[in-house]
Amino acid sequence: MRRRELLAMGAAAIAAPLRGRAAGMADTVARVKPSVVLVGTYRETDTPRFQLRGSGFLIGRGQQVVTCSHVLPGADADLVVQVLRPDGGWARHPVHLGALDERSDLALLTLDSAIGPGLPIGDSGKVREGDDLAFMGFPIGNLLGYSHVVHRAMVSSITAALLPSPDAERLRENAIRGLRSGNFSLFQLDAVAYPGNSGGPLFRPETGEVVGVMNMVLLKGTRESALSQPSGIAYAVPAARLRELMERAR
């Protein structure tokens, strides 16, 4: 009998931290969710009128949106973000380009007024291989619907953003620009992400601090290849690159 009691106590001791960790993650997701927005275009003549291009998230006082530069449409399109309302509907807001870093594939969009809480930007320099993180966005939202989707991800590697090509003639234009301006690192994650995730936040499950921006194109070449050939590997641009863009935008 004593042995059973000891085993039960041991199992309870193991389960308690796991329950606490799960509850902590759920609380963080609830805090992060109102800040993660749809990024796309809106035209009366389009069908559907809103075309999702990627994810984004609010920062600061809720008047700026972070996303990927490859998410942005041409100059003739009407760029908007949509934020989830308390009643479950979506509120559409026009945005304007505030700052751009094509090399890091980052963009800052500006709003006329605050539309929600901004997420805190953490220190991406403290991220280590093996860290457990999470990301949120709208994977393949045009097909699956506009629902926030959250995934856990471990940092499997901190790798170079510019990978060497076996054939110099196959270097893409952005890779050549990267060679000229110097290299930087990306977070490689052991998770499957799709093009709709691009621009979403990579955050710490304990605090909700953003340590990276999800990117499905920088290394994979095109949204089409990322969608048709999911590799089980995702990438994120460290938040340090975002901080640099924010400083330049001041």
Side-chain angles (χ1 to χ4, degrees):
M1 187 67 177
R2 179 61 177 168
R3 184 169 179 272
R4 289 182 180 179
E5 291 177 355
L6 290 174
L7 288 173
M9 291 173 61
I14 293 172
L18 294 178
R19 286 196 299 269
R21 191 182 307 171
M25 176 64 166
D27 291 341
T28 301
V29 168
R31 292 197 307 272
V32 170
K33 189 174 179 179
S35 303
V36 180
V37 302
L38 299 158
V39 180
T41 59
Y42 183 87
R43 287 175 174 171
E44 292 289 341
T45 55
D46 285 348
T47 304
R49 295 175 182 176
F50 175 73
Q51 298 284 337
L52 176 67
R53 296 186 62 87
S55 303
F57 58 95
L58 297 167
I59 60 170
R61 298 180 179 178
Q63 289 183 258
Q64 287 184 307
V65 175
V66 177
T67 190
C68 291
S69 64
H70 77 260
V71 164
L72 304 182
D76 60 338
D78 295 317
L79 185 62
V80 299
V81 299
Q82 295 202 65
V83 62
L84 188 65
R85 299 195 308 255
D87 64 3
W90 293 93
R92 187 175 68 252
H93 301 273
V95 288
H96 311 282
L97 180 61
L100 191 67
D101 181 353
E102 289 185 305
R103 178 172 168 254
S104 300
D105 197 21
L106 294 175
L108 273 178
L109 310 177
T110 60
L111 295 135
D112 293 332
S113 60
I115 62 171
L119 294 179
I121 308 300
D123 185 355
S124 59
K126 293 182 178 179
V127 173
R128 301 185 301 169
E129 293 170 342
D131 278 355
D132 288 322
L133 303 174
F135 61 92
M136 186 182 294
F138 304 93
I140 327 177
N142 283 327
L143 296 177
L144 302 182
Y146 305 144
S147 296
H148 292 83
V149 179
V150 62
H151 293 277
R152 286 187 179 273
M154 185 185 73
V155 180
S156 54
S157 178
I158 299 177
T159 185
L162 179 60
L163 297 181
S165 172
D167 183 351
E169 293 181 359
R170 292 168 54 193
L171 280 173
R172 301 192 308 274
E173 182 181 350
N174 64 337
I176 294 173
R177 286 200 302 268
L179 280 172
R180 290 173 177 169
S181 56
N183 204 357
F184 65 96
S185 296
L186 291 177
F187 297 141
Q188 180 177 309
L189 311 169
D190 68 337
V192 177
Y194 288 92
N197 284 116
S198 286
L202 176 70
F203 58 92
R204 291 196 179 277
E206 304 85 5
T207 64
E209 288 183 325
V210 176
V211 293
V213 182
M214 296 301 297
N215 190 299
M216 293 307 300
V217 174
L218 202 58
L219 284 186
K220 295 191 177 183
T222 66
R223 289 194 295 173
E224 289 74 18
S225 64
L227 180 60
S228 62
Q229 302 173 26
S231 62
I233 298 174
Y235 296 93
V237 178
R241 306 292 300 185
L242 172 59
R243 285 185 179 276
E244 293 175 9
L245 181 61
M246 292 167 63
E247 286 294 324
R248 293 200 298 270
R250 286 184 178 178

